[in-house]
Amino acid sequence: METRFDAAVIGGGVVGCAIARELTKYKLKTGLFEKECDVAVGTSGRNSGVSHAGFYVPAGTFKAKLNIVGHELMPSLCKELGVPYIAVGKIVTAKEEDEREYLYKLKETGEKNGCKKLRIIDQKEIKRLEPNINGIEALHSPTTAILDPFLLTISLAENALRNGACIHLNTEVKRIEQSSDGFTLETNNGKYAAGILINSAGLYADKIAAMAGITGYEIHPCRGEYHLLDKNKRNLINGAVYPVPPKELGGLGIHLTPTTDGNIMLGPSAEYIPEPDDTANTSEVMDKLFKESYEFLPKITRKDIIKSFSGIRPKLITPGSKSPADFIIEESRKIPGFINLIGIESPGLTGAPAIAKKVAEMISKIRGGLVENPSFDPTEKPKIRFAELSNREKSELIKKDPDYGIVVCRCQSVTKKEVIDALNNPLCARSIYSVSKRCRATLGRCQGGFCLPKIIENLEEQHHPQTSDINYAGKGSELFTGKKEGIE
Amino acid sequence: MIRKTVDVAVVGGGPAGLSAALSAKKNGAANVLIIERGENLGGILNQCIHEGFGLESFGVALSGPEYMQRFIDDVEKHRIPYMLDSMVLEVSADKKIIVSSKEGLFEITSKSIILCMGCRERTRGQILTPGTRPAGVYTAGAAQNFINLKGYRIGEKAVILGSGDIGLIMARRLTLEGSKVLAVAEILPYSSGLPRNMAQCLDDYGIPLYLSHTVTEIHGKKRVEAVTLAQVDERFKPIAGTEKKIECDTLLLSVGLVPENELTRKAGILIDEQTAGAVVDEDLQTSIPGIFACGNVLHVHDVVDYVSLEAERAGRSAAEYAQGKEKKPQTIKTTPGEGIRYVLPHQLSADSDVKLSMRVMAPARNVKLILSDGDRVIKTLMKTRVNPAEMIQVTLKKNELAGCKKIIVMLQNAK
Ligand SMILES: Cc1cc2nc3c(=O)[nH]c(=O)nc-3n(C[C@H](O)[C@H](O)[C@H](O)COP(=O)(O)OP(=O)(O)OC[C@H]3O[C@@H](n4cnc5c(N)ncnc54)[C@H](O)[C@@H]3O)c2cc1C
Ligand SMILES: Cc1cc2nc3c(=O)[nH]c(=O)nc-3n(C[C@H](O)[C@H](O)[C@H](O)COP(=O)(O)OP(=O)(O)OC[C@H]3O[C@@H](n4cnc5c(N)ncnc54)[C@H](O)[C@@H]3O)c2cc1C
């Protein structure tokens, strides 16, 4: 007999992981399936990392409600899970006379939605908040925050695991069949049974629904490209800086967003693309991104860019549409017990904690109530960041464990101990991607040129992998095609 | 924190660091300490197993490790202490160094400090190559490390972007290891490597070099599947219609080196944006008295022998500073003129002979290298060939410097 779950979540993005963790608060056998080598490999690891205050989303929508609640829940959730969360604030700046009106509209929408502390500020105050930014008027939202979307997703998954959920990585759901008491899932790693199925597959959610015969959903992938700047430029802005968005419905406009690790991201663009997994960067957009950001912030140069990447929005609207679409979060009428989350684009990261609660309520309704899990522990230990400690603290740590004294990643000062801890993560994710997103090695200005050989040395010491099992981000992304014998 | 006091602290134990430490010791510094983050002394030369080092200093062609062993033996002979696996986290203007190591966190106070941190490689992110981000894209130095030190095979079919020396050497190494190098692409209309490497690494193995070409797209979701090469115009923009897609599983990047001056900048030392290294005087002293810089952290060198020589000077200066010796005022400023990218050092005294290091902007034939003080020509050198890849060194005699306020170096057509 295959393993049976009371509830199975498809998709290890921030939404799926938040749901899985929420369900472990109850006596429910919960499983999560993710096709990639780790969680947060999809859209959840490719976004602006902003906890939005909630003034972009039309009043009265699901999006608005979940955004506001999510933003309220986020600081305490991040605290529980030891995830970096910084309320850096944000300004939306008008540069031209005819953009002013948009700011007032945003403020009005925000207030209708329940956003707190929004104010319109003048040129002088813009300069005080952001000396390097020009604007004639701006909307200031002091509660807008940045967070580490990788660590949030990872910690949600690790906490779910610790509270009893099963997390299956490298496991792709390929077929779904209805059974007398729920569903049978066919994966590349065998069959599983589930009472309730939660489709949180992001860009693939329409395909997952279709596997169960639920038609009518159609996701239109819309790519957003970014540049990431060297940390030595971090002090050019204080908080997030957004423009008045372009007229077409694409996104929020190319903005400047600090990361919790101390970089600045420029982006994202917005282009509809045919494939949901085409995260390439294109020369035209890379050029445009830089030029538009430069207009905002003339103190940057192309030399400051250390990396470019992209994320893809699961849009429910097509390029020409005039009105935005709402999140779809519903139990299928045709197939009871099958919960679909479709079109979870921005503010999906912000909304994730609220979405999780909403899904738990839906499950409670389906099952006629849920029993609390008395041993649920909401906390995760924050990851130690050697680089951020005082000399006294560093000194104490090295005394405790000498591996804290060996710096492996020079750009981000990540130590051997932090790398080893990342390599021994509870999800057993062993790729370089998993190490770097947990401890931040390879993500600095040299992009792993220096530390990659050392990380692999540690990987070998800890887990003795076959050469063919050393990969960047799962099967197919092998780093090497062989190894000579006899070389140490 | 463990506290320590020394006369001369050397940050980095590569060719520059060892030569500087030895010279400091030989010039009377009693208490010299080398701090190295790697597990061995020798720096990047440890992975350079090809021959061609030491021709200038020793008159023989040595491999990288052989060249370094001579210095390491000397360091042992002079009983110069060194810390390994020890990362310098901070250098401050008051000459305190914070070091992280297994033994603990150290605060080392030093009378003088020599910065010898070397350089790092530019990456794909910095040259803004479009396309996907699969495994199989390596900087040439990282690839060299995997192949030469760890015995890994990094791929079967490779394209190399950049004809810098490391790229050329790696083209040969990959070929010798049995991988196929399909192309070397260079965005400039000329190679940025040494002519001897062009001959010995590409020509001898029939590896095609595409000048005025760059990689305009990387293909492949998980591992590199192909790259697109295209010709570029004089403004380095790809020319539409010239694209060719080459199937391969590996892209090596040899697209330039960047001096590692994060510690230098944090200490508040003045940086020359042209060299991306510190501004120095003829003693190789930076804008902070008692802190010196030499080797690739100061400017990228083509031949290691020059690094060792430059470091000797820095070592001597640091020893003199530590012993409280008086310093000559540095009143003459050097300036790169027409056709010259940079000139080092930035300031001179007129008190001794001095060796200037410089690089030209572009390759040229039959040119005159003119050193003047603005009004008067001090020295003219005829050059049949100049190349940005090759550093030029010119010695000025003390008497030639007499009465100068500045030195301008420029290139002129010989005709
Ligand atoms: C450019 C950009 C900027 C954004 N900025 C913000 C922001 O600042 N703030 C904010 O709140 N939101 C932002 N968002 C939105 C936010 O990133 C998303 O709403 C959120 O990450 C969605 O999470 P998810 O878990 O639904 O999807 P995903 O992270 O895509 O997770 C879905 C997972 O399902 C897996 N999967 C798919 N098919 C299968 C299968 N058959 N079997 C097993 N697993 C499968 C996928 O591999 C994937 O990991 C942004 C989005 C983009 C694209
Ligand atoms: C809030 C936030 C903060 C971020 N901060 C950073 C940051 O500080 N630094 C940073 O780099 N990125 C940062 N990113 C970008 C992040 O890395 C990407 O979102 C994520 O990795 C997905 O992008 P990708 O497509 O480049 O990943 P992938 O395509 O999965 O990976 C590509 C990356 O892997 C590296 N790589 C490729 N081949 C190899 C190999 N053989 N061995 C080792 N590495 C290899 C490349 O250098 C490249 O960096 C941030 C993103 C967000 C959302």
Side-chain angles (χ1 to χ4, degrees):
Chain A
M1 262 285 287
E2 60 257 21
T3 310
R4 185 182 163 80
F5 297 108
D6 296 326
V9 181
I10 304 176
V14 67
V15 175
C17 294
I19 293 170
R21 189 242 186 193
E22 187 68 27
L23 297 184
T24 59
K25 292 180 179 169
Y26 305 96
K27 287 194 161 165
L28 266 186
K29 193 164 158 60
T30 303
L32 181 144
F33 298 90
E34 169 54 54
K35 68 181 166 68
E36 301 295 331
C37 65
D38 201 352
V39 297
V41 176
T43 308
S44 299
R46 303 158 178 279
N47 53 60
S48 297
V50 173
S51 186
H52 287 300
F55 47 80
Y56 286 109
V57 279
T61 57
F62 240 156
K63 265 188 187 168
K65 199 172 145 217
L66 295 166
N67 183 341
I68 297 286
V69 177
H71 186 59
E72 269 170 22
L73 292 171
M74 201 57 95
S76 57
L77 178 66
C78 286
K79 198 158 178 215
E80 273 175 351
L81 296 174
V83 174
Y85 176 96
I86 312 169
V88 291
K90 154 169 161 175
I91 56 171
V92 183
T93 48
K95 291 189 137 176
E96 313 287 341
E97 284 302 322
D98 65 350
E99 291 180 336
R100 289 185 197 260
E101 207 190 309
Y102 179 84
L103 302 180
Y104 311 143
K105 267 198 203 138
L106 270 188
K107 182 161 178 277
E108 198 187 313
T109 312
E111 281 164 354
K112 247 190 238 164
N113 289 345
C115 291
K116 303 208 174 94
K117 299 187 187 164
L118 296 180
R119 6 177 246 141
I120 299 289
I121 59 173
D122 63 8
Q123 200 159 5
K124 225 170 94 197
E125 177 120 42
I126 296 176
K127 275 284 162 229
R128 192 183 63 78
L129 285 175
E130 297 289 354
N132 293 317
I133 299 296
N134 296 315
I136 55 171
E137 203 170 18
L139 175 69
H140 179 222
S141 163
T143 72
T144 300
I146 54 174
L147 56 84
D148 183 329
F150 303 102
L151 276 192
L152 175 61
T153 310
I154 289 167
S155 305
L156 283 167
E158 292 184 354
N159 189 245
L161 178 78
R162 238 163 32 79
N163 285 301
C166 295
I167 311 282
H168 298 271
L169 299 178
N170 300 305
T171 307
E172 180 172 359
V173 174
K174 303 207 162 196
R175 280 176 62 140
I176 299 171
E177 263 167 55
Q178 269 184 282
S179 58
S180 52
D181 55 352
F183 305 91
T184 307
L185 304 183
E186 235 173 78
T187 77
N188 54 317
N189 286 325
K191 281 191 182 178
Y192 297 87
I196 291 171
L197 207 54
I198 299 118
N199 169 13
S200 179
L203 289 156
Y204 300 85
D206 53 350
K207 296 184 181 79
I208 295 288
M211 282 181 198
I214 304 167
T215 52
Y217 298 131
E218 195 179 352
I219 289 172
H220 306 282
C222 177
R223 182 166 62 202
E225 298 186 30
Y226 290 92
H227 291 310
L228 187 86
L229 301 188
D230 193 295
K231 281 186 178 172
N232 61 25
K233 292 290 149 128
R234 170 64 184 93
N235 57 11
L236 291 181
I237 53 172
N238 292 309
V241 179
Y242 283 56
V244 164
K247 297 270 181 305
E248 323 82 73
L249 284 170
L252 307 180
I254 288 172
H255 44 260
L256 314 173
T257 317
T259 70
T260 53
D261 199 45
N263 303 82
I264 295 176
M265 294 193 290
L266 314 178
S269 55
E271 269 85 28
Y272 280 91
I273 52 167
E275 298 293 329
D277 61 348
D278 183 6
T279 55
N281 285 87
T282 59
S283 62
E284 305 78 53
V285 174
M286 290 169 89
D287 206 46
K288 185 181 110 181
L289 270 186
F290 179 79
K291 283 188 183 140
E292 283 187 27
S293 313
Y294 177 80
E295 273 176 25
F296 242 133
L297 195 58
K299 286 195 175 159
I300 55 173
T301 71
R302 280 176 208 261
K303 275 192 187 162
D304 298 326
I305 298 171
I306 62 168
K307 171 176 187 163
S308 308
F309 67 98
S310 72
I312 304 177
R313 307 168 181 85
K315 284 207 168 287
L316 286 173
I317 52 168
T318 46
S321 344
K322 284 277 175 286
S323 56
D326 205 354
F327 290 160
I328 295 175
I329 302 174
E330 61 193 13
E331 185 186 355
S332 165
R333 245 171 275 155
K334 196 165 122 194
I335 305 177
F338 195 111
I339 298 174
N340 284 304
L341 293 98
I342 319 274
I344 313 297
E345 54 167 325
S346 189
L349 173 67
T350 316
I355 295 173
K357 288 201 187 299
K358 161 97 197 144
V359 170
E361 275 167 29
M362 291 166 75
I363 292 175
S364 173
K365 219 180 244 161
I366 295 170
R367 292 177 56 104
L370 290 174
V371 182
E372 265 187 42
N373 168 9
S375 55
F376 176 77
D377 175 359
T379 59
E380 287 293 305
K381 272 207 213 94
K383 303 235 180 319
I384 288 176
R385 295 273 189 257
F386 183 79
E388 289 164 13
L389 303 177
S390 70
N391 285 339
R392 259 247 321 274
E393 293 165 314
K394 283 178 180 158
S395 196
E396 288 306 309
L397 267 186
I398 300 172
K399 265 186 224 153
K400 253 193 265 161
D401 189 333
D403 282 345
Y404 277 117
I406 301 179
V407 177
V408 169
C409 164
R410 68 179 163 194
C411 305
Q412 317 242 97
S413 292
V414 182
T415 63
K416 179 167 176 168
K417 178 70 167 85
E418 292 164 273
V419 169
I420 292 176
D421 286 348
L423 279 165
N424 292 322
N425 65 74
L427 298 182
C428 297
R430 300 269 192 263
S431 58
I432 301 301
Y433 181 93
S434 304
V435 175
S436 62
K437 297 314 181 217
R438 281 168 177 77
C439 72
R440 315 223 34 91
T442 79
L443 298 184
R445 54 178 71 92
C446 93
Q447 292 281 301
F450 177 75
C451 65
L452 188 59
K454 289 170 196 278
I455 292 174
I456 287 169
E457 231 171 79
N458 281 294
L459 172 66
E460 289 180 325
E461 268 172 40
Q462 297 292 314
H463 301 300
H464 313 288
Q466 303 268 308
T467 298
S468 57
D469 287 337
I470 303 175
N471 59 44
Y472 174 64
K475 228 181 160 59
S477 64
E478 288 72 32
L479 290 181
F480 309 116
T481 56
K483 188 172 184 185
K484 259 195 234 168
E485 293 307 313
I487 289 197
E488 255 309 291
Chain B
M1 215 147 52
I2 308 164
R3 282 170 226 281
K4 226 175 173 168
T5 308
V6 297
D7 294 323
V8 177
V10 179
V11 183
L18 299 196
S19 173
L22 280 162
S23 162
K25 186 85 187 180
K26 290 172 188 169
N27 283 286
N31 206 342
V32 180
L33 173 69
I34 302 168
I35 310 160
E36 163 60 40
R37 65 184 172 199
E39 48 205 60
N40 303 300
L41 292 177
I44 204 74
L45 250 56
N46 287 332
Q47 65 184 56
C48 300
I49 60 172
H50 56 281
E51 282 194 348
F53 303 91
L55 281 167
E56 305 281 334
S57 338
F58 302 117
V60 279
L62 304 171
S63 72
E66 284 168 348
Y67 181 89
M68 279 327 298
Q69 199 55 47
R70 298 194 174 204
F71 288 85
I72 294 170
D73 291 345
D74 222 14
V75 164
E76 301 286 2
K77 200 177 91 194
H78 285 88
R79 302 229 166 77
I80 299 175
Y82 49 86
M83 298 169 70
L84 297 177
D85 277 325
S86 301
M87 181 75 92
V88 173
L89 299 177
E90 200 183 315
V91 172
S92 62
D94 59 353
K95 297 195 278 292
K96 288 191 173 23
I97 301 176
I98 305 291
V99 185
S100 175
S101 84
K102 261 197 290 219
E103 286 72 42
L105 200 70
F106 287 79
E107 184 187 79
I108 296 167
T109 307
S110 188
K111 288 183 186 148
S112 55
I113 296 174
I114 314 176
L115 304 175
C116 309
M117 290 89 76
C119 50
R120 66 166 174 272
E121 298 180 278
R122 287 175 77 202
T123 65
R124 177 217 174 149
Q126 285 160 322
I127 60 168
L128 298 171
T129 307
T132 53
R133 289 169 302 286
V137 182
Y138 290 95
T139 56
Q144 190 177 46
N145 181 312
F146 280 126
I147 297 171
N148 292 350
L149 299 183
K150 310 262 153 54
Y152 281 116
R153 213 178 153 89
I154 59 158
E156 300 303 315
K157 288 193 286 180
V159 169
I160 299 180
L161 177 60
S163 61
D165 289 309
I166 317 173
L168 299 178
I169 301 274
M170 286 311 295
R172 177 174 63 189
R173 171 58 44 202
L174 280 172
T175 309
L176 293 174
E177 296 292 332
S179 306
K180 183 106 187 109
V181 178
L182 302 167
V184 175
E186 168 59 57
I187 196 164
L188 295 170
Y190 49 87
S191 162
S192 43
L194 291 171
R196 71 158 191 251
N197 283 333
M198 298 284 300
Q200 293 168 9
C201 299
L202 298 190
D203 302 350
D204 288 0
Y205 298 92
I207 297 169
L209 172 65
Y210 295 90
L211 295 175
S212 296
H213 273 72
T214 191
V215 171
T216 55
E217 191 171 354
I218 298 173
H219 308 266
K221 292 228 158 88
K222 295 267 184 182
R223 171 95 196 186
V224 175
E225 288 165 18
V227 299
T228 302
L229 286 191
Q231 200 179 333
V232 297
D233 62 19
E234 29 333 309
R235 288 164 44 247
F236 306 121
K237 292 265 175 259
I239 303 170
T242 63
E243 299 87 0
K244 49 182 154 287
K245 194 165 169 179
I246 302 184
E247 276 178 33
C248 57
D249 62 2
T250 305
L251 174 64
L252 279 203
L253 300 174
S254 171
V255 290
L257 301 169
V258 190
E260 286 249 309
N261 275 306
E262 280 69 37
L263 293 172
T264 321
R265 282 178 209 269
K266 262 203 343 221
I269 290 168
L270 212 60
I271 300 281
D272 171 352
E273 291 309 325
Q274 267 308 313
T275 54
V279 170
V280 292
D281 63 20
E282 71 182 14
D283 297 324
L284 299 170
Q285 177 169 285
T286 66
S287 60
I288 298 182
I291 302 187
F292 303 80
C294 59
N296 276 358
V297 81
L298 181 59
H299 58 133
V300 176
H301 290 66
D302 49 351
V303 178
V304 70
D305 304 64
Y306 298 138
V307 171
S308 304
L309 286 172
E310 186 176 275
E312 270 175 27
R313 175 78 201 226
R316 191 179 85 208
S317 308
E320 287 173 355
Y321 184 94
Q323 292 163 77
K325 235 182 169 172
E326 199 164 334
K327 187 175 163 65
K328 303 284 167 352
Q330 309 273 321
T331 51
I332 308 172
K333 281 190 84 161
T334 64
T335 316
E338 186 74 31
I340 304 292
R341 196 157 74 79
Y342 71 80
V343 184
L344 278 182
H346 301 78
Q347 292 126 28
L348 314 171
S349 72
D351 214 71
S352 57
D353 300 354
V354 63
K355 198 183 274 171
L356 299 182
S357 302
M358 61 199 72
R359 282 187 195 253
V360 299
M361 293 277 197
R365 282 173 182 275
N366 302 319
V367 284
K368 277 193 289 197
L369 186 69
I370 303 170
L371 288 79
S372 75
D373 74 351
D375 309 318
R376 176 177 63 95
V377 172
I378 301 167
K379 196 170 210 153
T380 304
L381 292 149
M382 296 300 292
K383 295 267 171 193
T384 47
R385 241 188 72 249
V386 292
N387 187 337
E390 284 171 272
M391 197 166 79
I392 301 172
Q393 294 199 316
V394 180
T395 302
L396 284 180
K397 294 260 182 272
K398 183 176 164 179
N399 61 356
E400 290 172 317
L401 289 164
C404 291
K405 288 265 176 325
K406 58 181 172 188
I407 305 278
I408 302 172
V409 185
M410 56 193 245
L411 270 192
Q412 219 172 55
N413 215 308
K415 274 170 247 144

